[in-house]
């Protein structure tokens, strides 16, 4: 028997949706990607990419050329729908999760949903979001029996399956990481599992939707809490005149201790955001998780205050801010503490500030109105007497000791110590 080609629709073609679309298409599914941006749609239909990710350009070009990936602004009928839209905070200043993009996507999917389809939510979401998505389908499509709301076999399957890929390694991790697959019912989970088995080589572990939602948040909160521990240590070490890197190196020789690395704070759109979804769900219980967020944010202010003090102590010195990205060797500046610190210095010290960021073609908008400039690493080393290392890009790690020894150095990542 010749099996029919599976049609998948991926809604949201960003950092997760586009690589996922390309990987599914390579596995032999015909993928229709949907995005609200005409620019994104046009770029993908030309076989090009709008985001930087290792090997993504070649893969997108080949699946588009083979006709396995197309993009448009409209959701079209499919067998499997994967929703990968943003879940930001709302504008209330209280870190309240905004799931409106998920619910909007659900409304659009509802219009084309048919018996036998499977809908999978991948966006990082507060606990209960998959059920809310199901409720949108139930409201818009009373003709279809929904899982958890009907007696007997439902007409569609609905599941939550978070991604856990690391920027810079997305294509590899999409395939090789284990995945949690949470169905609204066990039958929904099995249906989603069959889909992921087409391209995932890691183990796919089946659970319920609410547990899978919480699992994703727990993973990132765990990392945030551990980074907060390291950042708190670094502030204590500053106060006590200790070298935190040396202390961590020694402590990590204990067989059951693994302290993470302090830095200028925590950035990116995952670890700096997701723990708040847990706090919002149980504010009176999520004490360590909230404190970790506050500690990591406080670390950024600690670094900024120290950097400003150095600039004041050396009034004639130019300051090289090395790095703007939220972490090493990527071009992603979302929620980046390095960006916030460099921009604040630029507003205070103007033309004394020279920014080096190999992943930026120009200074981001937050620098407008300042006289700071973007320079290459050689000019910064020639012109600047203060080196503020904010991101551990390989190009900065490679600066030899003799080129830094005459400078005032503040290394927030511990790469030169
Ligand atoms: N950081 C430190 N010290 C460390 C490790 C990280 O200061 O020891 C900082 C980084 O510089 C960066 C931030 O933390 O500013 C986050 O970087 P990261 O590499 O820890 O994580 P992300 O945000 O790139 O990706 C995370 C990953 N989650 C976990 O490792 C638990 C990834 O697997 C998730 O898929 C991703 O969030 C996501 O999309 O949720």
């Amino acid at each position: 028997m010749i099996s029919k080609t599976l049609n998948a629709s991926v809604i949201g073609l960003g950092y997760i949706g586009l690589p996922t679309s390309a990987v599914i298409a390579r596995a032999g599914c015909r993928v229709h990607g949907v995005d609200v941006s005409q620019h994104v749609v046009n770029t993908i239909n030309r076989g090009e990419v709008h985001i930087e990710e290792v090997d993504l350009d070649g893969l997108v070009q080949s699946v588009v050329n083979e006709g396995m990936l197309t993009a448009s602004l409209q959701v079209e009928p499919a067998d499997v729908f994967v929703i990968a839209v943003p879940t930001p905070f709302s504008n209330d200043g209280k870190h309240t999760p905004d799931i409106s993009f998920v619910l909007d996507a659900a409304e659009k999917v509802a219009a084309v949903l048919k018996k036998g389809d499977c809908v999978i939510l991948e966006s990082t979401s507060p606990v209960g979001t998959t059920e809310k998505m199901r409720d949108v389908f139930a409201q818009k499509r009373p003709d279809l029996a929904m899982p958890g709301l009907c007696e007997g076999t439902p007409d569609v399957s609905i599941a939550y399956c978070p991604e856990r890929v690391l920027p810079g390694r997305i294509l590899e991790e999409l395939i090789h990481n284990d995945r949690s697959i949470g169905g609204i019912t066990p039958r929904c989970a099995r249906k989603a599992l069959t889909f992921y088995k087409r391209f995932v080589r890691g183990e796919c572990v089946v659970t319920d939707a609410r547990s899978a939602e919480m699992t994703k948040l727990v993973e990132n909160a765990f990392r945030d809490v551990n980074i907060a521990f390291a950042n708190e240590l670094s502030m204590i070490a500053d106060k006590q005149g200790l070298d935190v890197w040396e202390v961590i190196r020694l402590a990590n020789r204990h067989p059951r201790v693994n302290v993470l690395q302090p830095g200028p704070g925590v950035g990116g759109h995952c670890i700096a955001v997701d723990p708040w979804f847990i706090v919002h769900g149980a504010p009176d219980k999520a004490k360590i998780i909230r404190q970790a967020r506050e500690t990591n944010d406080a670390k950024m202010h600690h670094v900024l205050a120290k950097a400003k003090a150095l600039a004041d102590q050396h009034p004639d010195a130019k300051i090289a801010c090395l790095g703007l990205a939220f972490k090493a060797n990527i071009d992603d500046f979302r929620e980046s503490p390095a960006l916030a610190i460099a921009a604040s210095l630029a507003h205070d010290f103007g033309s004394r500030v020279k920014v080096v960021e190999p992943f930026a073609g120009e200074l981001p908008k937050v620098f407008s109105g300042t006289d700071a400039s973007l320079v290459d690493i050689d000019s910064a080393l020639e012109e600047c007497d203060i080196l503020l290392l904010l991101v551990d890009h390989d190009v900065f790690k490679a600066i030899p000791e003799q080129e830094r020894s005459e400078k005032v150095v503040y290394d927030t990542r511990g790469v030169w110590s």
Side-chain angles (χ1 to χ4, degrees), residues 167-168 324-332 357 359 390-397 413 415:
L324 296 177
F326 87 83
K327 66 177 195 176
N329 303 323
I330 60 169
D331 69 337
D332 191 339
E357 176 49 84
F359 291 92
L390 295 168
V391 186
D392 42 345
H393 288 322
D394 288 345
V395 61
F396 302 145
K397 283 189 190 167
R413 297 277 182 175
V415 300

Side-chain angles (χ1 to χ4, degrees), residues 124 163-167 216 219-220 223 227 260-263 265-267 270-271 274 326-327 413:
T124 303
E163 52 70 32
R164 38 168 65 134
V165 293
L166 206 61
K216 170 69 190 183
E219 290 164 7
N220 282 348
R223 194 152 169 85
I227 298 169
L260 294 183
Q261 300 301 298
V266 166
C270 304
I271 297 193
D274 302 354
F326 87 83
K327 66 177 195 176
R413 297 277 182 175

Side-chain angles (χ1 to χ4, degrees), residues 54-374:
V54 178
D55 296 336
L56 184 64
D57 47 358
L59 180 58
V60 167
Q61 189 182 46
S62 84
V63 289
V64 169
N65 286 348
E66 287 160 14
M68 297 303 280
L69 172 62
T70 53
S72 80
L73 297 171
Q74 283 87 33
V75 178
E76 286 173 14
D79 306 308
V80 177
F81 296 88
V82 176
I83 298 179
V85 295
T87 42
F89 296 132
S90 55
N91 291 329
D92 62 0
K94 294 183 191 160
H95 301 108
T96 305
D98 172 5
I99 61 164
S100 61
F101 294 105
V102 173
L103 301 182
D104 285 352
E107 287 210 14
K108 288 178 185 137
V109 170
V112 297
L113 206 56
K114 61 186 184 316
K115 190 170 174 171
D117 287 355
C118 179
V119 186
I120 299 161
L121 177 62
E122 284 208 6
S123 312
T124 303
S125 300
V127 173
T129 306
T130 312
E131 289 165 351
K132 288 189 177 141
M133 187 177 83
R134 183 266 323 269
D135 294 344
V136 170
F137 298 145
Q139 200 213 348
K140 296 276 163 194
R141 295 299 302 273
D143 56 313
L144 294 171
M146 291 297 153
L149 299 180
C150 66
E151 303 279 328
T153 311
D155 288 328
V156 294
S157 302
I158 302 170
Y160 182 73
C161 180
E163 52 70 32
R164 38 168 65 134
V165 293
L166 206 61
R169 295 170 46 87
I170 292 182
L171 290 181
E172 197 192 320
E173 293 208 355
L174 265 179
I175 298 190
H176 295 289
N177 287 357
D178 292 353
R179 290 196 85 129
S180 315
I181 299 182
I184 294 255
T185 64
R187 189 176 175 281
C188 294
R190 283 195 296 278
K191 188 84 193 269
L193 175 71
T194 313
F195 172 65
Y196 283 102
K197 280 286 181 192
R198 287 174 170 259
F199 63 95
V200 173
R201 297 278 162 272
E203 203 174 323
C204 294
V205 184
V206 168
T207 182
D208 62 278
R210 291 171 72 87
S211 299
E213 288 164 342
M214 188 60 167
T215 302
K216 170 69 190 183
L217 303 180
V218 164
E219 290 164 7
N220 282 348
F222 173 85
R223 194 152 169 85
D224 197 44
V225 167
N226 280 280
I227 298 169
F229 182 77
N231 278 333
E232 183 167 297
L233 284 183
S234 71
M235 292 186 275
I236 295 168
D238 276 353
K239 188 156 192 173
Q240 300 192 332
L242 289 162
D243 176 349
V244 73
W245 315 103
E246 174 71 353
V247 172
I248 291 175
R249 233 183 333 265
L250 293 171
N252 283 350
R253 296 187 82 92
H254 185 292
R256 285 172 296 283
V257 172
N258 183 17
V259 181
L260 294 183
Q261 300 301 298
V266 166
H269 198 67
C270 304
I271 297 193
V273 174
D274 302 354
W276 286 117
F277 290 13
I278 300 182
V279 175
H280 187 260
D284 53 334
K285 299 288 176 209
K287 296 194 176 125
I288 294 178
I289 296 170
R290 173 194 286 274
Q291 184 57 54
R293 275 287 67 243
E294 288 170 355
T295 300
N296 284 330
D297 285 346
K299 181 63 193 288
M300 187 193 78
H301 295 290
H302 176 88
V303 169
L304 186 55
K306 265 183 82 173
K308 284 186 176 169
L310 279 180
D312 287 334
Q313 281 158 24
H314 302 87
D316 299 324
K318 289 188 180 135
I319 310 142
C321 293
L322 304 185
L324 296 177
F326 87 83
K327 66 177 195 176
N329 303 323
I330 60 169
D331 69 337
D332 191 339
F333 301 164
R334 289 177 299 172
E335 326 291 335
S336 173
L339 178 69
I341 291 164
S344 178
L345 292 172
H347 282 279
D348 283 9
F349 300 103
S351 61
R352 286 177 63 196
V353 174
K354 309 288 168 196
V355 177
V356 186
E357 176 49 84
F359 291 92
E362 56 186 29
L363 282 180
K365 281 200 193 77
V366 277
F367 288 88
S368 347
T370 77
D371 292 324
S373 49
L374 185 68

